[in-house]
Amino acid sequence: MHKNDYGYVSGAVLFLPAIRKLREHVEYEKFLCRVLKDDETTRKFKQKTESLENKLYAFRYNNAKSNKLTAAGKTNGS
Amino acid sequence: MPIDINNLPIGEVPSDVAQAFSNFLNVEGRIKFPLKPTTTSAVSTSTEELVEDPNKEVDELINNVAELEDLVEQLEDMSDQLTKDMKIPVDNKNLLKAVQRLGGENAITKEVFNTALAIVDHAPLMTFRQDPVLAALVGDGHLDGPWMDCDQVTSQVSDFFSIKDNVASLPETPVKPRNEEILDDFEGNMLDMMLHILLMLWWNMIWPKFLVDLSIINPSRMIVAIPIDGLLFFFKSIKWKDKRYRRFKKKPTELLTGTPENKFKDAKGPINILLNKLRIILLCVVPIKLWKKKDYDPIVEIDCKDLDDNCPSKKAVAEEDGPDGLAGDEVSDDGFDVLADIPCATADEFIEGVNNDFPTKLGMSPECLQMASRIIKAVEDASYSSKQPSANDPTLQTNLGTVVRENFGV
């Protein structure tokens, strides 16, 4: 793989903001999914968000004071 | 010195990175939200489609998001891999200072870049006007002190906000509908007011009979004045601009005095009609019925016709009860059928009546009237007991106390 003298691939830095933007989008989608349904996948979503290096997303989307489910949440809306 | 973007060491984008970026763009377009069929489309949709499992679309969405996150992780790993050794030397003095503020030593590294991006995320909250990264890079920013880590920024920013519970943490019990709450409050207020009236009635009925009857003060005025004033105060003290009272379509002045057309002629507002009914009961009906007519001889004669044309006169009440007046044990519920003249209505019907030209529906709830009737009956029984009731009469106190306890829980 091509590397320049400064130890990084040319142009890769330009993708960093875009990737962060995409991460933000994904975290938002995960948040919506968690609101819609509570199952193993959505619980993993939350764990993944909390384990991210950037805690900003956990702050934005995992910042509930309580994890108590609503009546609809307990039955997954059915 | 501003940074000249042309001097940045950016070359041609390698094909594999471009392909990854292309994938990213494609991925973003693949997100589909589960849209329910609209009413229009439902007409032309077959029944089988409508009875599909609603969770299916949600599951599809979750799977899509999981897949998308997997791709994002790959992109992040890729960018980490491509930039992990990034170490761009800085030959500008101001830029070097900015890099040092961002945690680097003498080169722009991956960590420095990430910190800068994290700050960009918080830029509006931190500076309000100034782009801190730009200020730091240019070196003439007005930001002093050490830079904060992302976590520090997050924790400090969170102090500025009162975080509301999200949807997942709503209480388990359903929120009580606002209108139901208003109705309950209204009903409660009316019950409270009725209780106050009855308690005053009780005290003023028993005591003035023996203490004030011979004075020049008409005892019935004492009976009437306090509850009526209380009612007037109750309705006047309502903050009509409050949201909860906006459901009254009539203006408060109309509630008291009627429509503007007859405002100065007579008081025909629903509240005044209600008060008039109470006045009639308390002034014209209750005293005559509670005290034997031979004992009831107020110094100030009250003509009930002045209050309302439909008001039963003292003569009519006396005739109805027979020439001999009321015997203590013969008083029945029929003697108080004037209470039934007040149309019983729920609070809902009351408000509906207020909004729809009243006063066909007016009054308190049936339960309230029933309680009132029982209390008055107890007072009545006590007043007509064979021996004269007194404040120290244990029978009277027991009887009244029992009824009050049963009905009001006091």
Side-chain angles (χ1 to χ4, degrees):
Chain A
M1 186 175 288
H2 171 73
K3 289 193 177 185
N4 72 1
D5 296 337
Y6 300 127
Y8 75 105
V9 175
S10 301
V13 175
L14 292 178
F15 289 119
L16 288 179
I19 291 170
R20 289 176 69 89
K21 206 171 177 181
L22 186 55
R23 167 59 72 182
E24 172 78 39
H25 179 78
V26 168
E27 292 300 326
Y28 175 67
E29 295 286 341
K30 284 161 64 181
F31 169 72
L32 289 183
C33 290
R34 284 179 45 223
V35 171
L36 288 172
K37 192 171 184 178
D38 177 58
D39 63 3
E40 194 179 349
T41 312
T42 52
R43 273 179 236 126
K44 280 182 183 174
F45 282 170
K46 183 179 181 183
Q47 289 174 3
K48 188 77 180 176
T49 303
E50 285 170 349
S51 66
L52 287 176
E53 189 182 357
N54 189 348
K55 300 297 179 189
L56 175 68
Y57 307 115
F59 168 69
R60 282 183 183 163
Y61 301 115
N62 278 357
N63 210 2
K65 286 179 181 173
S66 162
N67 287 325
K68 198 179 286 183
L69 290 173
T70 60
K74 283 177 179 172
T75 58
N76 280 332
S78 60
Chain B
M1 175 185 171
I3 298 173
D4 185 359
I5 197 170
N6 294 321
N7 294 335
L8 290 175
I10 297 172
E12 191 178 345
V13 177
S15 59
D16 51 345
V17 177
Q19 184 60 42
F21 192 69
S22 175
N23 289 340
F24 147 62
L25 292 175
N26 289 334
V27 164
E28 199 174 30
R30 290 199 298 118
I31 301 294
K32 289 179 182 174
F33 290 93
L35 295 175
K36 302 285 181 188
T38 61
T39 311
T40 313
S41 64
V43 174
S44 59
T45 309
S46 67
T47 312
E48 291 179 359
E49 289 175 350
L50 286 176
V51 296
E52 271 187 356
D53 182 11
N55 283 331
K56 187 181 174 185
E57 290 174 333
V58 177
D59 290 338
E60 284 180 5
L61 172 70
I62 292 174
N63 291 335
N64 275 337
V65 172
E67 191 180 345
L68 178 62
E69 188 182 28
D70 184 50
L71 287 168
V72 171
E73 282 177 357
Q74 291 182 37
L75 284 171
E76 287 173 337
D77 292 344
M78 179 205 72
S79 73
D80 287 346
Q81 185 68 27
L82 295 179
T83 57
K84 66 176 181 179
D85 297 327
M86 181 168 72
K87 200 171 184 180
I88 307 169
V90 180
D91 54 1
N92 181 288
K93 187 177 67 177
N94 292 330
L95 193 57
L96 178 64
K97 191 177 176 184
V99 167
Q100 286 171 348
R101 279 175 160 180
L102 290 170
E105 292 181 357
N106 53 4
I108 299 174
T109 61
K110 176 77 187 310
E111 288 71 28
V112 170
F113 204 88
N114 274 344
T115 310
L117 286 177
I119 293 171
V120 169
D121 280 341
H122 296 284
L125 295 174
M126 288 183 64
T127 64
F128 298 102
R129 286 182 181 178
Q130 193 176 27
D131 181 356
V133 176
L134 182 63
L137 289 175
V138 172
D140 61 353
H142 302 291
L143 300 170
D144 295 322
W147 289 95
M148 289 183 289
D149 291 336
C150 182
D151 288 355
Q152 289 176 299
V153 172
T154 301
S155 63
Q156 293 210 1
V157 168
S158 67
D159 290 340
F160 289 101
F161 299 98
S162 61
I163 301 163
K164 293 180 181 177
D165 289 354
N166 65 13
V167 178
S169 62
L170 285 175
E172 292 186 39
T173 50
V175 179
K176 201 175 183 183
R178 182 68 181 138
N179 56 349
E180 193 180 330
E181 197 179 317
I182 291 172
L183 286 178
D184 285 354
D185 286 353
F186 185 84
E187 189 85 3
N189 287 338
M190 295 302 288
L191 281 172
D192 284 349
M193 186 52 61
M194 195 66 191
L195 174 62
H196 280 285
I197 290 174
L198 289 171
L199 287 177
M200 290 179 196
L201 190 66
W202 179 51
W203 283 109
N204 288 291
M205 281 289 183
I206 303 303
W207 286 96
K209 167 69 178 166
F210 307 103
L211 302 180
V212 202
D213 208 10
L214 298 177
S215 71
I216 58 170
I217 302 173
N218 188 342
S220 60
R221 284 196 60 79
M222 282 189 67
I223 299 165
V224 174
I226 300 172
I228 293 294
D229 288 349
L231 264 185
L232 279 173
F233 179 76
F234 168 67
F235 285 111
K236 283 183 177 176
S237 65
I238 290 178
K239 295 174 182 173
W240 296 98
K241 290 183 179 178
D242 198 322
K243 282 180 185 174
R244 51 187 288 190
Y245 296 111
R246 284 182 188 164
R247 63 205 308 260
F248 290 99
K249 293 174 186 170
K250 289 184 185 297
K251 294 176 182 175
T253 50
E254 289 183 28
L255 284 174
L256 280 171
T257 63
T259 53
E261 291 74 29
N262 60 8
K263 181 178 178 181
F264 300 106
K265 294 177 183 174
D266 46 9
K268 290 292 184 186
I271 302 297
N272 261 328
I273 291 171
L274 172 66
L275 292 180
N276 249 5
K277 292 234 175 210
L278 284 170
R279 283 191 191 105
I280 290 165
I281 292 168
L282 294 173
L283 276 173
C284 310
V285 179
V286 175
I288 299 173
K289 286 185 176 293
L290 282 190
W291 297 318
K292 295 175 183 176
K293 275 192 288 298
K294 59 181 180 181
D295 292 340
Y296 179 68
D297 190 16
I299 294 173
V300 180
E301 186 64 39
I302 300 169
D303 189 356
C304 298
K305 288 285 181 184
D306 289 342
L307 294 171
D308 192 327
D309 291 337
N310 298 322
C311 174
S313 66
K314 180 183 174 185
K315 186 182 176 185
V317 175
E319 287 174 358
E320 182 187 337
D321 293 328
D324 296 329
L326 295 171
D329 296 331
E330 290 173 358
V331 175
S332 65
D333 287 338
D334 298 334
F336 269 84
D337 56 356
V338 69
L339 280 176
D341 291 339
I342 299 179
C344 291
T346 62
D348 206 11
E349 287 171 326
F350 175 80
I351 291 168
E352 188 188 354
V354 169
N355 290 332
N356 295 304
D357 258 351
F358 226 48
T360 54
K361 297 279 187 180
L362 173 66
M364 283 63 75
S365 67
E367 294 81 7
C368 184
L369 286 178
Q370 195 180 4
M371 280 192 287
S373 178
R374 283 184 197 166
I375 295 289
I376 292 176
K377 182 71 166 50
V379 176
E380 176 190 29
D381 289 341
S383 299
Y384 289 105
S385 60
S386 56
K387 62 177 182 177
Q388 287 285 20
S390 70
N392 298 323
D393 186 354
T395 311
L396 168 63
Q397 289 183 350
T398 307
N399 186 19
L400 283 176
T402 306
V403 175
V404 171
R405 271 197 303 276
E406 283 176 357
N407 290 284
F408 295 104
V410 295

